[in-house]
Amino acid sequence: MTDGEVAVQQNGHTHAVQAPNLDGTVTVDVDQNTVHLPASFGAVYHEDRLDDVDEEIATDGGHAARTEVEMSGFGLTDYQSFWSLIGSGLGLAASGYLWGLPNTGLAALIVFCVSIGIGYIAARSFGGGLDA
């Protein structure tokens, strides 16, 4: 296994996930109930969560396991979010300009709504930790 991967061996098969931003390797040995983490990682173990599993998941070690993933935003990188926020601001300025012109009220309203939507998505994604 090379740097940038997380691998779990189960039932004779290795399931690997590429993680290019990972510094070091994460190795999970389900048969031996061991996990090897790089020195810079912190580990948190919640034994009480094993009792709250909705469905039984069979593992080689005979334990019930549950994986939880917390996600925020809409999956934009910080770079995309930044430029989307800039575009949203320009769209809001353009809608204000259009509002002052005759016979452009509907166009101004459409540009305003689209700019608000783009700004909302970008603001929720900004700072989410995804790298470009």
Side-chain angles (χ1 to χ4, degrees):
M1 183 167 65
T2 61
D3 286 351
E5 287 184 356
V6 178
V8 177
Q9 187 166 357
Q10 179 180 5
N11 296 328
H13 299 287
T14 301
H15 305 279
V17 176
Q18 291 182 349
N21 294 333
L22 181 64
D23 185 21
T25 60
V26 175
T27 307
V28 179
D29 185 351
V30 178
D31 295 324
Q32 301 297 320
N33 292 328
T34 59
V35 177
H36 171 31
L37 298 173
S40 62
F41 276 54
V44 179
Y45 177 69
H46 298 282
E47 185 175 348
D48 58 329
R49 292 198 178 186
L50 294 177
D51 297 332
D52 297 332
V53 177
D54 294 332
E55 65 181 56
E56 291 296 318
I57 301 170
T59 64
D60 291 343
H63 298 285
R66 180 179 181 148
T67 301
E68 295 182 24
V69 177
E70 182 178 336
M71 299 178 69
S72 63
F74 291 93
L76 297 178
T77 64
D78 283 349
Y79 180 80
Q80 293 167 334
S81 297
F82 174 77
W83 287 108
S84 296
L85 284 170
I86 297 293
S88 174
L90 291 174
L92 290 172
S95 70
Y97 174 75
L98 289 173
W99 189 261
L101 296 177
N103 300 324
T104 58
L106 181 60
L109 185 61
I110 291 171
V111 171
F112 178 79
C113 291
V114 169
S115 296
I116 291 293
I118 290 172
Y120 175 75
I121 291 170
R124 289 278 319 258
S125 296
F126 193 73
L130 295 176
D131 293 326

